[in-house]
Amino acid sequence: MVDGFRVDTDMSEQRAPARRSRGTGRVRIEDVARAAEVSAQTVSRFLRHPDQVGPAASERIAAAISRVGYVPNLIAGSLASNRSRVVAIIVPTLANPVHAQPVEGLGDALRADGYQVLVGTTDFSQEVEEALVRAFVGRRVDGIVITGGRLSAASRTVLKAAAIPVVQLWELPRIPFDMAVGNSNIDIGACVARHFAERGYRRLAVIGHVQKSDTRSADRVTGFLAEAQRHGLPAPLVMEVDRPMLIRDASDLVAALRREEVRAVFVTSAQLSVVLLLNARSAGIAVPGELAIAGLESDLSTVVSPTLTAVRVPAYELGLQAGRLLLRRMAGEKVAQKRIDTGFEFNVREST
Amino acid sequence: MVDGFRVDTDMSEQRAPARRSRGTGRVRIEDVARAAEVSAQTVSRFLRHPDQVGPAASERIAAAISRVGYVPNLIAGSLASNRSRVVAIIVPTLANPVHAQPVEGLGDALRADGYQVLVGTTDFSQEVEEALVRAFVGRRVDGIVITGGRLSAASRTVLKAAAIPVVQLWELPRIPFDMAVGNSNIDIGACVARHFAERGYRRLAVIGHVQKSDTRSADRVTGFLAEAQRHGLPAPLVMEVDRPMLIRDASDLVAALRREEVRAVFVTSAQLSVVLLLNARSAGIAVPGELAIAGLESDLSTVVSPTLTAVRVPAYELGLQAGRLLLRRMAGEKVAQKRIDTGFEFNVREST
DNA sequence: GCGCCATTTGTTAACGCTAACATGTGAGCG
DNA sequence: CGCTCACATGTTAGCGTTAACAAATGGCGC
């Protein structure tokens, strides 16, 4: 054995002065193998399937790895095994926690299995999304999570050819491209409208937050209107805001609500709802006495006074669920339940 | 021409029934080469260095690529070229926009050059950080951005061996591990203290937000205290909060501030400062008449009433700068300026 | 008309790892 | 005591791309 080892060592030293040498100079699996007096394959097995390696070899390999400071080249491993152990997620922006949190959830779901997360932000641009899909497929990600229910034809083609699991986030298309995790924004709107109806408010309003290619707010408005009609209420006032809310916009909105004698308003975005509440109060409007306000949950919902009745969408959990679905599919399992409705919480507080 | 193509096609059909066949069945560069009647290397050149390929060949290759639906395998490319065109960023959490925004900035800085971003979140755990560093180095990322100035010995060793550019974010160590982009939290604290002194407030307080292994808040407190002393003010009251602020905590804080007859307080976290302001007002304390409040910038700074005097730290720009530094180094440039202070804005508003 | 060089294209051999197959070893069993 | 089988380990040949070198072509100056 020792002799064999010697010979190997010598051979390695004869470093043929071949005209080519592209090596990176980094420690390779071969170096560990030599140091542990086993074959490269056994080292590879030790790292991927430790149960298939005997105790004596395992010990020597572990020692050798730390002795020579080996960090496996996962790029080479990915190429050889045709599995990258990387998943990608595409979100419109990371500045909004509601979109950043699923990324964290996804990472947490996958970390234990050795997967890493590639992120791409689109700023709501369809072209950027297509470019990202191509880039990620080019990197041979094992799975991909895409925010939103709309997928361009080009993206569909590329994803189809790649044959990797895909999870659409936030929306629940009747027939998902592959899988989908989200909640029904129509249900959210309906839930709030029902609450207003039960409280006896009749003159309602809904303020939507229009963001390019994001239909979530629009769906909430739709659900709200449908439910209001079902309860025989007069058609609610519908307003839309298309940019980050400034204090002066809110004043205008408050004035409009007062003019229209609105009794209860549902604001479909977290920040907007707090801003509206603060503005209404400083305009001297009693909440909920004169105007009831419901919105979306944020850190401040329980901090403002009166506390805000709000819908909480489980953003982090969405990412977690998406990760679990991907894991199952990447492990070769079939997934029967292709649409997961994570639901939402409706926290009734003082503002309604 | 057509004949040549035919023959090649036939050859591809003879699929030798070799005992081994690990192919992925996906379109390879070879397939494009055959369809365009050039060598694989020319296709590779067309993709990486288009200027080195003649116009006729370029045209045929472009057509062939879209005809056969080729998506280059970047994993194989990375292995061969020893460049992954991936950079990694490690942040404590993505739920806090202040940490999520640099990720977006980094992505935006690198997108145009074909780089992608791998993210890892540590939840402030040093062990997780080490594991992520190892994993990212294993994936042979071309550069890495790490939040915070402290790097464990293990991480340093691995990063040293990997010989890749590293950017530390938010803090500016005297001697960075490699490069650093951040701002001086001591300066931030000092700036606010100076402002208070100039306004004539004497009895000061500072409320820190302690988060495991995050020294930024502590540095702000340090700078604040030093500057207060320089102006001959009595030693400010120092308080610390170690969890997400709840409304009742804020009430306690407000009571304590009143009891101690504090005239001006600096809150070193964005959310806390808004919460404190709202609480002080509902407790009937005049702001800034009885108590002046300065905090950190958030969406709500200009929304609350009175508007909040706040320090804005340029989170997105930090990521952008980090990306630019990495790009230069990855292009082989030497970077002389290894510490970049992105500074901060101090927005004086009604609350002080 | 000849050599020189820039431009374009082709050929070969890695890059560092793992799948697939091959082989060796010893325990268990009738 | 030979046979089978589970287990441990080794050998071989890629995975799909690009670096390095080689070669063919043609324009240009003299």
Side-chain angles (χ1 to χ4, degrees), chain B residues 20 22 24 29 41 44 48 70 73 80:
Chain B
R20 293 158 197 241
R22 298 213 264 138
T24 57
I29 202 169
Q41 183 59 231
S44 174
R48 307 296 154 222
Y70 174 60
N73 184 331

Side-chain angles (χ1 to χ4, degrees), chain A residues 122-131 150-153 155 213:
Chain A
T122 63
D123 197 22
F124 298 97
S125 151
Q126 190 85 45
E127 293 95 73
V128 175
E129 180 178 304
E130 280 179 21
R150 290 208 277 233
L151 262 177
S152 73
S155 296
S213 83

Side-chain angles (χ1 to χ4, degrees), chain A residues 296-329:
Chain A
L296 268 94
E297 193 81 313
S298 72
D299 294 338
L300 291 165
S301 304
T302 56
V303 162
V304 290
S305 174
T307 54
L308 183 73
T309 290
V311 171
R312 191 182 86 84
V313 288
Y316 176 86
E317 288 84 350
L318 242 65
L320 214 54
Q321 290 287 358
R324 293 199 183 124
L325 280 182
L326 288 181
L327 275 180
R328 289 174 53 193
R329 281 283 295 278

Side-chain angles (χ1 to χ4, degrees), chain B residues 3 23 27 57 92 154 166 179 213 231 281 283 322:
Chain B
D3 282 16
V27 178
V166 177
M179 297 177 288
S213 85
H231 285 270
R281 293 229 35 215

Side-chain angles (χ1 to χ4, degrees), chain A residues 141-322:
Chain A
V141 296
D142 290 337
I144 188 165
V145 179
I146 301 179
T147 300
R150 290 208 277 233
L151 262 177
S152 73
S155 296
R156 282 169 185 270
T157 308
V158 172
L159 289 170
K160 216 87 160 192
I164 53 174
V166 177
V167 175
Q168 289 169 293
L169 219 58
W170 287 114
E171 292 177 35
L172 290 171
R174 197 84 53 83
I175 301 160
F177 175 77
D178 180 13
M179 298 176 287
V181 177
N183 46 35
S184 164
N185 287 297
I186 291 185
D187 287 357
I188 288 175
C191 175
V192 177
R194 195 173 323 121
H195 171 69
F196 283 163
E198 283 164 5
R199 281 279 199 272
Y201 305 131
R202 287 193 57 81
R203 185 79 184 114
L204 308 184
V206 55
I207 302 179
H209 180 43
V210 180
Q211 221 164 8
K212 330 157 211 176
S213 83
D214 185 350
T215 63
R216 296 187 295 137
S217 176
D219 287 346
R220 289 173 196 149
V221 172
T222 305
F224 185 86
L225 297 180
E227 188 72 11
Q229 186 172 32
R230 178 119 44 97
H231 286 269
L233 300 178
L237 184 66
V238 178
M239 292 188 277
E240 283 185 347
V241 178
D242 61 356
R243 53 193 155 159
M245 175 60 81
L246 298 174
I247 193 163
R248 76 194 73 256
D249 300 321
S251 309
D252 292 350
L253 280 180
V254 168
L257 293 172
R258 177 176 260 174
R259 193 169 52 242
E260 300 282 339
E261 297 182 341
V262 168
R263 267 301 278 122
V265 60
F266 173 37
V267 189
T268 71
S269 121
Q271 204 209 317
L272 245 73
S273 47
V274 171
V275 171
L276 190 79
L277 177 63
L278 293 174
N279 265 274
R281 294 228 35 215
S282 53
I285 296 176
V287 178
E290 288 174 69
L291 177 68
I293 300 177
L296 268 94
E297 193 81 313
S298 72
D299 294 338
L300 291 165
S301 304
T302 56
V303 162
V304 290
S305 174
T307 54
L308 183 73
T309 290
V311 171
R312 191 182 86 84
V313 288
Y316 176 86
E317 288 84 350
L318 242 65
L320 214 54
Q321 290 287 358

